[in-house]
Amino acid sequence: MNGAGKNEAGLNGAGMDGAGLTDEEIGHLLEKLDLGQKVRLLTGASNWRTYAEPAIGLRALTFSDGPAGVRGDAWDERDTSLVLPSPTALAAAWDDELAAELGGLLATEARRKGVDVLLAPTLNLHRSPLGGRHFECFSEDPLLTGRTGAALIGGVQSGGVAATAKHFVANDAETDRLTVDVRVDEQTLREVYLAPFEAAVEAGVRVVMSAYNQVNGVTMAAAPLLERPLKSEWGFDGPVVSDWGAVRSLLDTARAAQDLAMPGPGGPWADGLRAAVEQGLVPMERIDDKVRRLLRLADRVGALGDPPRVRRPTDPPTAAPGAPPRALLRRAVAAGTVLLRNDGELLPLDPARLRSVAVIGAHAAAVRIQGGGSAEVFPASLVSPLDGIRAALAGTAEVTYSPGLPPSALPRPLDPVRTDGPPTRDPVSGEPGVLVRLLDADGAELHAEHRLSGRIVEPARVAGAETVEIRALIRPRQEGEWTLAVGGWGPLSLAVAGRTLLSGTFPLDSDDPTRVHVAPPYRSVRTALAAGEEVEVVARRGLAPGTGVATILAAAPPPGDAATALASAVAAARDADAAVVVVGTTEESESEGRDRDTLGLPDGQDALIRAVVRANPRTVVILNTGGPVALPWRAEVPALLLAWFPGQEAGDGLADVLFGRAEPGGRLPTTWAAAEEDVPVLRIRPERGRLHYAEGPFIGYRAWLRSGTSPAYWFGHGLGYTGWSYGAMEAPSEVIAGRPFDVRIRLRNTGPRRGREVVQLYAAGTSLTGEPPVRRLVGYAAVVADPGEEVVAVVRVDGRATERWSVERHRWETVPGELLLRGGRSAGDLPLSAVITVSGPPGRSPGAATESALR
Ligand code: BGC
């Protein structure tokens, strides 16, 4: 075996190219292990690591979330990460190159943090806009999802880090996510929900994560789908890792093509797998296959060798102002921002003509840069829209700020960096932040450390610790009834200025890992505090086995007066040359672990928008949300930008768009409704444990097209800053079923500035058997042109466009007949069309091998 040398060479890319061990060599390693050693490898050693096996030169593998940044193997606010725009924003760029570049950045971050396997991308679909992890998935369309995912995977893996396609499959909502039984027909599964995973495997993804949910009655960690299509049909040769805690039983999961149970230590496999094999209940070959796949992965990331390569932070620091990664993140903000509406070409604003700008909305100062849940990371710095606008107009225009709404009554973890919280310091060191202590059963201190946040997801592990305590001095800005809260499970208490105001035991009521370990509920009290007077607050939680360890100390200021807040925003807007209102969702309304109840913007923000627009007709509204919200005021608002969760460089990227330094490059990856009641597929509450995908393949724009109603903004819509006129579409008159072909679309930039346009091609069968009557996206290509310039977009259409999944024969089949192609700017704006004949014998498709040879 000479894996070490090969792996060394592979650090910057080649390591992921399969230059490692042969199957035979892996077989030799396997022979060196006894059953106990093999079984041990198949359950995690800790939350984020696997076991090492020195006998074969295997070191532990480190896994880490997540899609918008790499947290590393500790959940600790002192260990910061670059925060990328959320996946929905990335998909909105419709830009494979950008996705690959950002994938490369994730790989750099992963290497810096010693991470071998990144738990991203999330390839589930936007089936309903209420889905809690909408922000973390790319799109409602399988092709856009698959292409963006494949490009990101390529970027991550060419940086020497394994990517993970998750959550396999049909994990498109959060309600009862651990148990829900998704009922979906075979054709829909293949053509819609499995399609992005197939694209990921084709892109060479190294790891696939099985989902928590069931599909058609079988939990995914034991599902036959892991075997076929994933492994036997698509040829996936890496390990299937479980979602965290998804292996909840022994025999069914062990016999299935589930390979690695995370996290650990302990769990059904750790407890019983060895005995099950010895009793002949699980075949030895199954175990060997699982271990073989794990070793293959280890080899690919350089964790196998003599000695194995240890990951070290060899890359230059990434978080410094002006560092190339930050410039890339800033560019990505503009690339994913969608200009939904621009009446009278209000945007871009010309800084030379502005003397004053009123910035309004809580999200302008406390922007949401990322979604909540396992994807969360800690930024070293962040630029709010207010900061970005101030920097862009420094010395040229006056910028005022008003929140427009009273402060939220919902407690937020203490955090010295938050502009909307009270100043907070550690009572011992006096430094901004809090003091965290671990106490024994008698209340004696075992350990104390300074932390930067009142949200302690992973306190230090100290033997004998029975209590976590968070202690802080806060200095209220406002006088009145404050809400103070302690988050956690089990025995909780809260004391203010030496007085215990809350004490009780709160039993665990959930087995969802996010609710147990990441975002436990708050128990709150209200108490009068004086402005400017520092007061000590102490939160404690008892540590009981199985209830998690996360502990939170949070606060909310006294409720303010809504009318006063609104009046001051309106006055500021009236006095300014232009107003920018930033609105969005909150951590409570949009996060992993639960679905949304409503599409409505929380906290009276709709009324704020209307009032500001009435006060100043030159108002730009920026939406800071991960998924769609209702837009009841959209016809009244002249300019509407959708910024998603834009990552840490939010403010500078948005200022680039507002003032025309960059074009808003985004196109909607998901259809946006005007009102909740119009949405064709909305409700995602399981009934009697089951969630029926009764609409079949008709989700997103396909559902809107079938329903015959129009949304507010179609999938694919986005204006940019220039105009385009579409010319001719050239398509071959005849194509061979199952093979790729090209369509050329001519268009001209008719506007005043250089721009980028995403040319989209949709297809619908005119006579194809079984073809859905509505169109679906079959290809897209971006072009860039100067004013007046004519360009040709060459759109490659994959062979799949002329294939259907046959439920009778359980295979892809080519379908000769006529296909109507339509080209243009969105699913609802397609000026060009052509009918092509698909020829060739009906029946079995030429298969992946023939298809890729033709590419
Ligand atoms: C999430 C996964 C995540 C894992 C580890 C789970 O609850 O569903 O997406 O990778 O936790 O944090």
Side-chain angles (χ1 to χ4, degrees), residues 118-492:
L118 180 71
L119 299 173
T122 304
L123 297 178
N124 303 113
L125 297 181
H126 295 162
R127 176 171 173 266
S128 159
L130 294 175
R133 287 178 97 166
H134 200 284
F135 67 89
E136 206 186 310
C137 307
F138 291 122
S139 166
E140 68 189 16
D141 181 79
L143 180 74
L144 180 59
T145 300
R147 240 174 96 166
T148 309
L152 187 91
I153 289 164
V156 171
Q157 297 193 160
S158 62
V161 173
T164 305
K166 72 185 188 183
H167 313 81
F168 188 85
V169 62
N171 181 187
D172 310 292
E174 293 295 277
T175 308
D176 299 341
R177 65 176 173 154
L178 303 188
T179 53
V180 60
D181 180 12
V182 173
R183 296 276 158 163
V184 49
D185 70 81
E186 182 182 327
Q187 186 173 12
T188 300
L189 201 51
R190 286 291 188 143
E191 295 185 0
V192 179
Y193 294 97
L194 284 168
F197 289 94
E198 188 176 6
V201 172
E202 224 171 278
V205 75
R206 296 307 194 204
V207 181
V208 170
M209 181 190 284
S210 57
Y212 287 126
N213 51 286
Q214 307 177 45
V215 171
N216 297 330
V218 189
T219 191
M220 279 312 300
L225 290 167
L226 300 176
E227 187 61 52
R228 179 170 188 255
L230 179 64
K231 292 181 175 175
S232 60
E233 194 181 314
W234 298 345
F236 174 66
D237 66 356
V240 173
V241 62
S242 68
D243 200 342
W244 263 227
V247 168
R248 286 160 293 190
S249 53
L250 175 60
L251 293 182
D252 57 343
T253 56
R255 287 176 187 148
Q258 174 69 52
D259 300 310
L260 174 63
M262 286 297 283
W269 288 11
D271 297 344
L273 187 49
R274 185 184 176 148
V277 178
E278 283 164 352
Q279 290 158 22
L281 298 172
V282 176
M284 191 62 199
E285 304 79 68
R286 257 296 177 213
I287 303 299
D288 283 348
D289 185 56
K290 294 179 201 297
V291 177
R292 199 184 288 277
R293 286 166 182 274
L294 190 69
L295 295 184
R296 203 174 281 138
L297 170 67
D299 181 40
R300 286 169 171 163
V301 297
L304 199 52
D306 196 15
R309 196 186 74 223
V310 176
R311 283 181 180 269
R312 281 194 202 90
T314 51
D315 300 296
T318 49
R326 291 191 58 183
L328 167 60
L329 294 181
R330 177 172 179 165
R331 176 156 57 85
V333 175
T337 295
V338 186
L339 179 58
L340 292 171
R341 180 179 166 92
N342 195 15
D343 253 25
E345 297 188 356
L346 175 59
L347 285 175
L349 298 169
D350 180 357
R353 292 169 172 221
L354 290 174
R355 278 165 297 111
S356 56
V357 173
V359 178
I360 293 164
H363 287 69
V367 61
R368 284 196 82 187
I369 60 169
Q370 58 182 329
S374 59
E376 255 173 277
V377 296
F378 301 97
S381 64
L382 76 86
V383 187
S384 72
L386 180 59
D387 298 333
I389 293 170
R390 280 196 171 133
L393 299 179
T396 66
E398 188 202 351
V399 177
T400 62
Y401 171 64
S402 24
L405 295 164
S408 169
L410 297 166
R412 300 271 178 260
L414 296 182
D415 181 344
V417 182
R418 281 189 89 112
T419 49
D420 52 352
T424 297
R425 43 185 207 111
D426 175 335
V428 170
S429 68
E431 293 296 313
V434 303
L435 177 71
V436 174
R437 300 197 309 149
L438 290 155
L439 312 174
D440 70 11
D442 301 325
E445 178 181 305
L446 297 172
H447 174 86
E449 63 181 357
H450 175 71
R451 299 287 295 255
L452 304 174
S453 162
R455 179 166 172 228
I456 306 297
V457 174
E458 286 177 358
R461 282 173 198 274
V462 177
E466 301 230 337
T467 300
V468 181
E469 179 193 272
I470 308 176
R471 198 173 267 269
L473 292 171
I474 65 169
R475 186 185 296 276
R477 289 195 181 95
Q478 303 92 322
E479 162 177 55
E481 286 268 296
W482 278 71
T483 305
L484 298 168
V486 51
W489 299 101
L492 300 175

Side-chain angles (χ1 to χ4, degrees), residues 46-119:
S46 70
N47 217 354
W48 306 110
R49 294 205 181 164
T50 57
Y51 282 102
E53 181 46 84
I56 54 168
L58 171 68
R59 67 162 168 79
L61 292 174
T62 302
F63 292 67
S64 171
D65 290 305
V70 186
R71 196 169 49 243
D73 68 351
W75 194 298
D76 189 320
E77 72 290 344
R78 295 166 296 187
D79 186 2
T80 59
S81 313
L82 291 172
V83 188
L84 283 64
S86 60
T88 312
L90 177 55
W94 297 58
D95 187 339
D96 297 348
E97 259 172 55
L98 180 67
E101 250 183 292
L102 289 169
L105 186 59
L106 287 171
T108 309
E109 283 284 272
R111 292 199 305 268
R112 181 170 75 80
K113 288 175 171 251
V115 167
D116 301 294
V117 182
L118 180 71
L119 299 173

